[in-house]
Amino acid sequence: MEALNTNLIKGKYSIFLAIFVFLALALSSANAKVQEHEFVVQATPVKRLCNTHSAITVNGQFPGPTLEVNNGDTLVVKVTNKARYNVTIHWHGIRQIRTGWADGPEFVTQCPIRPGESYTYRFTIQGQEGTLWWHAHSSWLRATVYGALIIHPKEGEAYPFPKPKRETPILLGEWWDANPIDVLRQATQTGGAPNVSDAYTINGQPGDLYKCSSQGATIVPIDSGETNLLRVINAALNQPLFFTIANHKFTVVGADASYLKPFTTTVLMLGPGQTTDVLIKGDQPPSRYYIAARAYQSAQNAGFDNTTTTAILEYKSAPCPAKGVAAIKPLMPTLPAYNDTNTVTAFSQSLRSPRRVEVPTEIDENLFFTIGLGLNNCPPNFNSNQCQGPNGTRFTASMNNVSFVLPNSISILQAHHLGVQGVFTTDFPTNPPVQFDYTGNVSRSLWQPVSGTKVTKLRFGSRVQIVLQDTSIVTPENHPIHLHGYDFYVVAEGFGNFDPKKDTSKFNLVDPPQRNTVAVPVNGWAVIRFVADNPGAWIMHCHLDVHIGWGLATVLLVDNGEGLLESIESPPEDLPLC
């Protein structure tokens, strides 16, 4: 009888616990919404720099639509491809916990959406707030297929800083006076570097300093006494950018949808893929002030677009010009020199999390990845027109001397999930196959990598450290390295060759910034840490699209853990076929 009573009590307790958990989950998601959108990828006439091009857009908009959600919401986005190219959409920085099928990189988590086909991306935003973005992850379509993805706090919750009067997304882009796909095709055929862009843009507009561009220049409103939030996104294809506003200071409060300990600066540097949230005050005489962005160029002797894009910060109370009188010319800010690495370093070293964070201190997987360019010798069956890189070679790039090759008949995640053999191998080197003076004068025998679809397998829950080491092969360069499916802590960065004996003492294990894209210093290194708690196939690549095309990428394959909540969901029924 006593045993029966005990079991009854246990049973009632279990039921009570289950009801409590259910109610807690119900309350936490009571305000969460399911947001449904339709994206139609199509060719649209877009006129810039005096010429009209048939640009690939989403819903006829350039840039594409801004999506605004709350932390906890679910996004359902049906993408219909009415363009003549294959396409996928990547939700840059979204953790995609257990929903790797919605991540988007072509032939990594899905086959592309073919012309005339559709695919619906479904995912929930969990514990993220701030500014992210979405973009095509197929060929060079990202040049025009991109838009902002803004995550507000849960309903009823506030920002950890004073509520701004208004918020403005600022998308920095790159524009070719040509079809970007043709620019890429030409470079692929010749083996040389692709033509650089003809303009940079702010919210799709080049601005006053370019031909035929003053009419459409982006106007950003402000009023005296206001504090406004600018959500700055570097959507440029191949170029890190400096960003500033004449006579105004920024209070940096977030980056890559993670809050930061606020600090003040007059200039930002964003690598492609990175976002930065800043507060600005309307504390200057009411007038018009240029917002400006131009290149940070760290690769010596490499061609780049040296133009400057502008928008206008306009005070609502600024005096209007009389009829027939030209508007007041905005004040132009001073921008850093193109190669001002000191300013970049000072900015990146100012980033801190707002409070103490849980950085993994014990490490299970200690990985060391060299990153950089390379040159392939001209294959015997190629003619000289196909080998127009330096000294009759073809440009390439690699991590740990492996130049990554995407599959073309099935995605890596599908092959892993279905147990299909022969698509990839799990022997990506966890350390450089040959140790050398990475940032010194590198022997030419190390300039040509091997090609392969090699991945690194990680056990679910393992604590991971990755040292990302730039190399001076061909040229050193600041590389924005983006890891899909994860945020990570940037615990240290420095110049020269990483030395574990000396440099480990510099690690910030208290309040390092959390990012999804780290700008690895030119001729230097960065160290990131994270817990591999999200099963799936996650590409890690340089966000300079010219480099990912050359093979500067790898994939981290994270196994399922135990039970349903530590396992990737089943693939959706409408997953595109190859």
Side-chain angles (χ1 to χ4, degrees):
M1 191 69 178
E2 194 176 313
L4 183 63
N5 285 339
T6 304
N7 286 337
L8 280 170
I9 291 166
K10 280 184 179 175
K12 285 179 181 175
Y13 176 75
S14 298
I15 292 166
F16 170 77
L17 191 65
I19 292 169
F20 177 79
V21 169
F22 175 77
L23 287 173
L25 287 170
L27 283 170
S28 71
S29 60
N31 293 325
K33 298 184 182 72
V34 176
Q35 290 207 31
E36 299 195 22
H37 298 270
E38 289 209 9
F39 277 12
V40 177
V41 180
Q42 60 194 37
T44 303
V46 176
K47 187 173 184 180
R48 297 290 185 274
L49 309 182
C50 316
N51 296 318
T52 300
H53 291 280
S54 183
I56 305 303
T57 66
V58 168
N59 299 351
Q61 299 175 42
F62 171 66
T66 293
L67 301 182
E68 295 199 49
V69 298
N70 291 88
N71 181 3
D73 286 357
T74 295
L75 266 173
V76 179
V77 185
K78 182 181 180 183
V79 177
T80 301
N81 185 5
K82 292 189 176 178
R84 58 193 173 111
Y85 307 108
N86 293 337
V87 73
T88 64
I89 301 292
H90 169 52
W91 314 93
H92 185 110
I94 294 290
R95 284 290 319 270
Q96 297 292 0
I97 295 170
R98 300 183 57 235
T99 52
W101 305 106
D103 190 43
E106 183 178 57
F107 292 117
V108 178
T109 60
Q110 67 169 95
C111 295
I113 307 167
R114 306 285 182 189
E117 301 293 323
S118 298
Y119 177 47
T120 300
Y121 294 89
R122 295 176 176 85
F123 54 90
T124 299
I125 288 109
Q126 300 182 45
Q128 294 183 278
E129 294 176 15
T131 305
L132 295 175
W133 61 302
W134 57 264
H135 60 79
H137 212 296
S138 182
S139 186
W140 268 23
L141 291 184
R142 180 166 80 77
T144 53
V145 179
Y146 61 85
L149 174 50
I150 294 166
I151 309 170
H152 298 286
K154 291 180 179 178
E155 282 189 23
E157 296 186 7
Y159 295 126
F161 46 81
K163 184 174 171 58
K165 178 76 175 177
R166 73 181 85 225
E167 303 180 14
T168 308
I170 303 281
L171 291 110
L172 309 177
E174 207 169 357
W175 179 263
W176 276 260
D177 201 9
N179 179 348
I181 304 298
D182 291 343
V183 174
L184 175 62
R185 278 180 182 155
Q186 182 189 16
T188 304
Q189 285 166 359
T190 65
N195 291 340
V196 299
S197 55
D198 297 288
Y200 300 112
T201 57
I202 296 176
N203 292 353
Q205 295 291 343
D208 289 355
L209 307 185
Y210 297 92
K211 59 184 180 181
C212 307
S213 300
S214 56
Q215 290 299 99
T218 298
I219 305 290
V220 176
I222 195 168
D223 213 352
S224 295
E226 283 183 359
T227 296
N228 294 348
L229 178 65
L230 302 184
R231 299 175 175 275
V232 189
I233 299 164
N234 186 353
L237 209 66
N238 291 318
Q239 191 62 58
L241 294 166
F242 289 118
F243 176 85
T244 191
I245 302 179
N247 282 23
H248 289 73
K249 290 181 179 176
F250 303 124
T251 300
V252 178
V253 293
D256 291 1
S258 290
Y259 293 120
L260 292 170
K261 190 174 289 180
F263 69 95
T264 304
T265 181
T266 57
V267 64
L268 313 178
M269 194 291 280
L270 298 94
Q274 293 186 318
T275 75
T276 307
D277 290 348
V278 298
L279 297 172
I280 60 163
K281 286 183 178 174
D283 58 4
Q284 295 299 303
S287 188
R288 306 167 88 228
Y289 300 85
Y290 270 132
I291 302 169
R294 77 174 188 188
Y296 164 51
Q297 178 64 3
S298 60
Q300 291 180 351
N301 304 320
F304 69 102
D305 178 350
N306 64 0
T307 62
T308 301
T309 180
T310 57
I312 299 168
L313 183 73
E314 187 172 82
Y315 280 72
K316 290 198 291 181
S317 49
C320 292
K323 268 192 176 177
V325 178
I328 303 166
K329 186 150 180 72
L331 190 66
M332 190 70 188
T334 302
L335 281 148
Y338 297 115
N339 62 350
D340 188 350
T341 295
N342 288 341
T343 292
V344 174
T345 305
F347 176 73
S348 65
Q349 290 184 348
S350 300
L351 274 59
R352 293 279 185 275
S353 285
R355 61 192 65 83
R356 189 181 185 96
V357 290
E358 289 187 30
V359 187
T361 49
E362 301 292 319
I363 297 299
D364 303 306
E365 300 283 351
N366 203 341
L367 312 176
F368 190 111
F369 293 172
T370 54
I371 55 177
L373 303 184
L375 297 174
N376 280 332
N377 294 332
C378 195
N381 57 332
F382 278 40
N383 60 45
S384 58
N385 289 336
Q386 296 170 288
C387 298
Q388 294 183 31
N391 302 318
T393 59
R394 291 177 61 85
F395 273 111
T396 185
S398 69
M399 297 178 77
N400 276 358
N401 203 47
V402 177
S403 187
F404 190 75
V405 179
L406 287 168
N408 57 19
S409 59
I410 189 172
S411 76
I412 289 172
L413 184 56
Q414 285 171 291
H416 173 61
H417 188 76
L418 299 171
V420 178
Q421 300 299 306
V423 177
F424 61 85
T425 58
T426 56
D427 58 345
F428 183 84
T430 56
N431 283 282
V434 178
Q435 290 192 351
F436 55 98
D437 180 3
Y438 307 115
T439 54
N441 192 5
V442 183
S443 164
R444 284 292 177 116
S445 63
L446 296 170
W447 283 36
Q448 179 158 328
V450 297
S451 297
T453 310
K454 297 174 183 284
V455 311
T456 299
K457 284 196 84 170
L458 295 174
R459 182 176 48 79
F460 183 93
S462 56
R463 296 158 297 186
V464 183
Q465 173 176 294
I466 305 179
V467 177
L468 296 161
Q469 172 72 61
D470 186 32
T471 69
S472 56
I473 296 173
V474 182
T475 178
E477 190 166 0
N478 181 294
H479 294 275
I481 301 296
H482 173 46
L483 174 58
H484 289 222
Y486 286 91
D487 288 325
F488 48 74
Y489 291 111
V490 184
V491 298
E493 56 181 46
F495 292 98
N497 299 332
F498 177 75
D499 181 346
K501 289 177 184 167
K502 282 192 321 191
D503 294 326
T504 306
S505 62
K506 302 172 189 170
F507 285 9
N508 175 6
L509 303 179
V510 178
D511 60 353
Q514 193 171 40
R515 305 297 305 251
N516 62 53
T517 305
V518 57
V520 178
V522 55
N523 247 330
W525 49 268
V527 181
I528 65 171
R529 288 187 176 186
F530 62 96
V531 177
D533 57 1
N534 191 13
W538 307 110
I539 190 168
M540 184 180 207
H541 64 89
C542 183
H543 222 278
L544 308 178
D545 271 30
V546 59
H547 291 179
I548 186 176
W550 287 341
L552 212 171
T554 187
V555 165
L556 305 182
L557 196 61
V558 180
D559 284 329
N560 286 333
E562 293 182 13
L564 196 66
L565 296 180
E566 294 183 356
S567 302
I568 193 164
E569 293 178 358
S570 298
E573 289 181 7
D574 65 338
L575 192 70
L577 300 172
C578 281

